Amino acid sequence: MAAKVANFIGIRPNYRDPAAEEVTRGESGYSVSTADTYVEDEPTALEWIRHVAPDGPGIGITVGCVVVPQSMAYAKLAALDVQFGLYSSFMGVLIYWFFATSKDITIGPVAVMSLIVGNIVLKVKKSDPKIPGHVVASALAIICGAIIAFIGLIRMGWIVEFISLAAISAFMTGSAINIAVGQFPNLMGITGFDTRAATYKVVINSLKHLKGSQLDAAMGITALLLLYLIRSACNYSAKKAPNRAKLFFFLSTLRTAFVILLYTMISWLINRHHRKVPKFKITGSVPRGFKNAAVPTINRKIIKTFAKELPASVIVLLIEHIAIAKSFGRINNYTIDPSQEMVAIGVTNLLGPFLGAYPATGSFSRTAIKSKAGVRTPFAGVITAVVVLLAIYALPAVFFYIPNSSLAAVIIHAVLDLITPPNVVYQFWLISPLEVIIFFAGVFVTVFSSIENGIYTTIASSAAILVFRLAKARGRFLGRVKVHSIPGDRLGEASDQGLNGNDPDKSHRNIFLPISHNDGSNPDVVVQAPYPGIFIYRFSEGFNYPNANHYLDYLVDGIFKETRQTNQNAYGRPGDRPWNNPGPRRGQPPVDHSDRPTLKAIILDFSSVNNVDITSIQNLIDVRNQLDRYASPNRVDWHIACVNNRWTKRALVEAGFGYPTPAAGVAIQRWKPLFSVAEIGGNSSAATAAENRDNRNEIRRQRTRDLEDQKGIVHEAGSTSSSDVGKELGSSKVYGKANKVAAVQGLNRPLFHIDLTVALQSAIANAQRDEEIVQKDIPEYGQKDAAELGVKQL
């Protein structure tokens, strides 16, 4: 029939098919005895669409089949009718793709947020029954969305970095246990007590009322077992048949929809004649379409009902979404923008309540499905929205028979995967034992109190540890070690025979290690003191007002233990001595510390310091003054190495650091500066390249003229071999001229150095110069007048 219609309107489908024409004389014939039959088909438009179309539609439909039953179950958890879960899912997947920076995230109802909403709704129902639950839930979504959108618009997405992984894991684990235990009575059909009380109370009451289980238990337990059975079978089959792993993955993904449909059919068979009094609890009537679409009601009275839970609600929305988005971004090798993600969450929760939605955020299970299925763009969420929309308009009659216990099984099956596995907790212990304590504290508070208190406990504990570590950061005194580079296959020879002949480039270098070996370096390696009276001190974790005093107290204590005061008679009378310096006991001579050196210089390693503040700089000035009195009449040189921030350097300069400060009456000419210089441009600069090119051409011309004079043979300038030219370039005085050099750092700040090596060289050079002057002056005038004599002679 189609061929006749095509022929009637003038279409010739085979007008270009050479097989349709007769084989003429002179053309090759085809024999079936020589080859198998094969006729090549032309590509069709459908094949082209399949080739260029993304995988989004299939993945979007798959996720939609998961979203529908999960969102209905989570709506029950939120103490709302099931249609509100569908509304929230529809708006989440429909809006997010427009603002998204993650291709995997699926926004919709989640278990933890639904539990918080449910607690608020039930509390309001007791205090003010006139306010509908969905009105409170929508108002909460509006307020949370406005707060999160504002944070995102002012680009403060980095604020979520203050929530540690231990806090997130504790929150997820404790919430999963809380939700699973709270759904157990619904799974068994048990009633008669508060299923939203503290977790331990729900466990106790469930065991007490276990004998009151109803027929719901058969629908719930078997559904839960079937969910795990399907997943295990699909995982096992995927391992046995890797070439069909993706097929088994999609089958496993659809297990929730399959189980809900199966038990809905069973429920229909049992309750179709018992609609008014069903044999077990079922969902009941579900309105078709968006019957609750309206402008959300927000007033002071409604806001007061959830004001206490508002911080926890905002934190939950942020934790779940940002943590999931970052995790899957790392897995799939892309980066998200936390601030933009906050805008997406905020807009979703601002617009969703106009259709009746309650707070929604990123879902771990549905995001994992999209990621593993290989979704390419966030637009797959629009396909999911179409599926949810079809469910809202086409399936309400089917939803009537969904067993509540089967929905409880879906919730339990979903949240148990959020519990942190024991092996992960063990890995946490190996990395940071203190944070494991925070993890268990958060879980225990969630179990024995509430999810909100668990969140506050973990975040506050993590912040307290962060502040403690910052405030109690301790610097390290460094020493010098000479090291050689040796290949690994010769390490054994070097250990047995020493370094003679084992150093490939016959070179060594100095490195600086903590004298106490608390960095894990080999304690058998001797770390030498930099120089008598010279100390290298490294800040370990910033240098700001919380830790400045702790840093510098440790510095001063270490210096006092290793040095002696320059002038032992600094206190002429006992009353001049500070009250907290008892000095020698009455009738006993002072303790002899003549074997210790006097303080000469301090080198501060600022490699871990990015910013300083007024408090830290003032403390540094105070310590400088203290040590100047301790070393008087000599001066103490303060060398600063590895400063990474110009503003930090400016603050130090304004405080008097960076250039030599002579002692009273001592001339600055005694200072011996040491600067680091480098070539301007280096060998790769344009000026050097032009100079090399000119020199090379000049040598070639000279060589050509020499050959012409000697042999009378004319050669082209390009005939000279590159090796000969290279030799002549190497011996050429013009080509070997050194490049210009310049100081790496400013000449007006000679005490700032690029690394510790240069800083130590400068400190030693000036310490030795000071010693030479003192040794020259002491025989005639004594140590007390050495500085004054040095001034007169200079």
Side-chain angles (χ1 to χ4, degrees):
M1 182 66 182
K4 293 181 179 180
V5 173
N7 187 36
F8 176 77
I9 61 179
I11 295 177
R12 298 173 56 193
N14 300 322
Y15 79 103
R16 281 188 175 180
D17 188 0
E21 301 178 2
E22 297 182 356
V23 179
T24 59
R25 187 179 300 275
E27 295 178 336
S28 60
Y30 173 78
S31 176
V32 295
S33 63
T34 59
D36 293 335
T37 302
Y38 171 70
V39 178
E40 182 179 0
D41 296 329
E42 291 188 359
T44 63
L46 183 59
E47 291 177 350
W48 179 83
I49 293 175
R50 290 176 180 175
H51 178 70
V52 301
D55 296 333
I59 299 173
I61 294 173
T62 302
V63 175
C65 295
V66 177
V67 165
V68 172
Q70 277 193 356
S71 59
M72 296 170 65
Y74 291 153
K76 285 288 186 181
L77 190 60
L80 300 172
D81 295 332
V82 294
Q83 67 266 22
F84 293 101
L86 297 174
Y87 302 158
S88 301
S89 297
F90 174 75
M91 291 301 295
V93 295
L94 181 64
I95 296 174
Y96 174 72
W97 72 273
F98 188 76
F99 301 92
T101 62
S102 170
K103 69 181 181 64
D104 301 305
I105 284 288
T106 300
I107 289 186
V110 294
V112 181
M113 193 65 230
S114 297
L115 180 62
I116 294 176
V117 172
N119 294 336
I120 296 173
V121 169
L122 293 178
K123 183 182 72 172
V124 174
K125 187 176 181 179
K126 292 180 180 178
S127 61
D128 195 346
K130 296 181 179 180
I131 303 178
H134 70 274
V135 172
V136 178
S138 296
L140 177 63
I142 290 284
I143 301 300
C144 290
I147 294 173
I148 296 174
F150 175 76
I151 296 174
L153 289 173
I154 63 176
R155 316 312 290 174
M156 285 186 62
W158 49 266
I159 196 173
V160 298
E161 304 296 341
F162 287 96
I163 303 175
S164 66
L165 180 59
I168 294 175
S169 300
F171 153 71
M172 299 297 288
T173 301
S175 302
I177 295 173
N178 187 303
I179 294 170
V181 171
Q183 288 301 306
F184 180 77
N186 296 331
L187 185 77
M188 304 297 294
I190 301 173
T191 57
F193 59 92
D194 183 12
T195 60
R196 295 178 182 268
T199 304
Y200 75 98
K201 292 182 180 180
V202 178
V203 172
I204 294 173
N205 290 327
S206 297
L207 295 177
K208 286 181 179 180
H209 294 78
L210 193 60
K211 59 183 179 181
S213 301
Q214 304 295 327
L215 184 60
D216 302 69
M219 303 296 291
I221 294 176
T222 55
L224 183 61
L225 293 177
L226 185 58
L227 286 169
Y228 280 105
L229 179 63
I230 295 174
R231 187 175 72 173
S232 300
C234 290
N235 292 339
Y236 178 80
S237 301
K239 292 180 181 179
K240 290 296 183 180
N243 56 330
R244 297 185 177 180
K246 196 164 188 178
L247 172 63
F248 291 116
F249 164 74
F250 280 107
L251 292 177
S252 177
T253 299
L254 296 173
R255 65 185 181 275
T256 303
F258 170 75
V259 169
I260 290 297
L261 290 175
L262 174 63
Y263 280 83
T264 300
M265 184 184 69
I266 296 173
S267 175
W268 175 75
L269 293 174
I270 296 175
N271 295 311
R272 57 180 176 172
H273 300 302
H274 307 279
R275 289 175 59 92
K276 294 184 179 180
V277 186
K279 298 293 183 180
F280 44 80
K281 295 179 182 177
I282 58 177
T283 301
S285 299
V286 178
R288 188 186 306 274
F290 296 96
K291 298 297 184 181
N292 297 96
V295 177
T297 302
I298 302 177
N299 52 47
R300 183 177 299 178
K301 181 179 180 181
I302 294 177
I303 294 176
K304 283 184 178 180
T305 60
F306 57 76
K308 293 182 180 179
E309 291 81 5
L310 188 59
S313 301
V314 172
I315 293 173
V316 168
L317 293 176
L318 292 179
I319 285 179
E320 290 215 37
H321 186 95
I322 303 299
I324 292 171
K326 285 188 174 182
S327 176
F328 283 94
R330 297 187 188 101
I331 292 173
N332 296 307
N333 195 27
Y334 64 86
T335 304
I336 69 160
D337 182 355
S339 298
Q340 185 63 31
E341 291 295 319
M342 288 185 181
V343 173
I345 305 172
V347 173
T348 299
N349 286 285
L350 283 171
L351 299 181
F354 287 88
L355 293 182
Y358 68 91
T361 187
S363 167
F364 179 81
S365 59
R366 300 189 289 270
T367 300
I369 292 172
K370 287 178 67 176
S371 174
K372 196 169 182 180
V375 68
R376 297 290 184 268
T377 69
F379 194 75
V382 177
I383 309 301
T384 302
V386 173
V387 175
V388 177
L389 188 64
L390 290 175
I392 292 173
Y393 279 95
L395 300 178
V398 178
F399 295 157
F400 180 90
Y401 291 99
I402 297 178
N404 285 350
S405 57
S406 298
L407 291 177
V410 170
I411 295 175
I412 294 174
H413 178 67
V415 300
L416 288 182
D417 291 335
L418 302 179
I419 297 177
T420 305
N423 184 57
V424 175
V425 178
Y426 176 68
Q427 296 297 325
F428 288 171
W429 174 262
L430 296 178
I431 296 171
S432 179
L434 195 59
E435 290 187 276
V436 175
I437 298 176
I438 295 178
F439 171 82
F440 282 113
V443 174
F444 288 150
V445 171
T446 302
V447 169
F448 290 96
S449 180
S450 65
I451 292 178
E452 294 87 344
N453 292 338
I455 294 172
Y456 299 147
T457 299
T458 54
I459 294 179
S461 301
S462 299
I465 290 179
L466 176 64
V467 173
F468 178 81
R469 286 174 173 171
L470 180 63
K472 292 298 182 180
R474 176 175 293 184
R476 294 183 175 91
F477 287 97
L478 305 182
R480 182 171 52 180
V481 177
K482 183 185 296 184
V483 298
H484 299 250
S485 298
I486 297 177
D489 56 353
R490 297 184 182 180
L491 186 59
E493 300 176 8
S495 300
D496 298 334
Q497 304 175 10
L499 291 172
N500 296 329
N502 289 296
D503 194 354
D505 54 1
K506 307 296 182 183
S507 64
H508 65 271
R509 64 187 185 278
N510 290 323
I511 64 171
F512 298 90
L513 298 176
I515 296 177
S516 60
H517 287 287
N518 56 6
D519 63 335
S521 57
N522 189 348
D524 295 333
V525 174
V526 179
V527 180
Q528 300 176 351
Y531 188 84
I534 296 179
F535 296 88
I536 302 177
Y537 190 70
R538 173 178 291 167
F539 297 107
S540 60
E541 199 167 346
F543 183 54
N544 298 100
Y545 70 91
N547 54 28
N549 191 64
H550 190 68
Y551 269 136
L552 299 179
D553 285 348
Y554 184 69
L555 171 65
V556 173
D557 291 342
I559 290 174
F560 284 173
K561 290 178 182 179
E562 300 296 331
T563 61
R564 61 179 172 85
Q565 191 169 3
T566 303
N567 186 1
Q568 299 293 335
N569 300 318
Y571 309 114
R573 299 178 304 168
D576 295 338
R577 186 182 301 276
W579 69 271
N580 57 351
N581 184 2
R585 290 182 177 274
R586 186 182 301 273
Q588 295 183 0
V591 180
D592 184 17
H593 293 306
S594 59
D595 57 324
R596 298 180 182 177
T598 58
L599 178 61
K600 298 177 177 62
I602 298 173
I603 302 173
L604 298 181
D605 183 0
F606 268 66
S607 57
S608 62
V609 177
N610 188 44
N611 293 292
V612 293
D613 50 44
I614 296 175
T615 305
S616 60
I617 292 297
Q618 184 59 49
N619 285 352
L620 197 59
I621 294 172
D622 295 340
V623 170
R624 180 183 61 184
N625 296 335
Q626 177 186 4
L627 295 180
D628 282 343
R629 291 191 297 268
Y630 178 75
S632 178
N634 296 340
R635 69 160 186 263
V636 179
D637 297 330
W638 289 77
H639 297 261
I640 314 295
C642 307
V643 179
N644 301 316
N645 191 328
R646 292 182 62 196
W647 292 98
T648 299
K649 184 180 293 186
R650 168 182 166 172
L652 291 169
V653 170
E654 294 299 326
F657 296 92
Y659 46 87
T661 303
V666 179
I668 195 64
Q669 285 80 359
R670 293 178 57 188
W671 176 253
K672 186 177 181 180
L674 186 65
F675 299 101
S676 298
V677 298
E679 293 182 359
I680 298 179
N683 294 330
S684 60
S685 65
T688 302
E691 183 181 5
N692 293 346
R693 184 173 60 253
D694 294 341
N695 292 336
R696 190 181 295 273
N697 293 335
E698 178 62 29
I699 291 175
R700 285 174 175 170
R701 287 192 294 269
Q702 182 64 36
R703 183 177 179 85
T704 302
R705 287 194 295 268
D706 293 342
L707 291 176
E708 290 175 353
D709 294 341
Q710 294 176 7
K711 300 181 180 180
I713 302 175
V714 180
H715 295 279
E716 295 182 358
S719 64
T720 306
S721 65
S722 60
S723 60
D724 294 338
V725 174
K727 293 178 181 179
E728 296 192 21
L729 287 174
S731 60
S732 172
K733 294 182 180 179
V734 178
Y735 184 70
K737 184 173 66 175
N739 294 324
K740 293 182 180 180
V741 297
V744 176
Q745 301 206 3
L747 299 180
N748 59 332
R749 298 169 182 176
L751 292 186
F752 285 106
H753 306 283
I754 59 174
D755 58 15
L756 292 176
T757 301
V758 179
L760 181 58
Q761 291 173 353
S762 178
I764 293 176
N766 286 278
Q768 291 176 345
R769 181 177 179 84
D770 291 343
E771 290 176 354
E772 292 175 359
I773 295 176
V774 172
Q775 290 174 2
K776 179 180 178 182
D777 299 338
I778 281 178
E780 183 176 358
Y781 292 93
Q783 182 178 2
K784 182 177 181 180
D785 300 325
E788 297 179 2
L789 179 63
V791 174
K792 295 177 181 178
Q793 291 185 349
L794 290 171

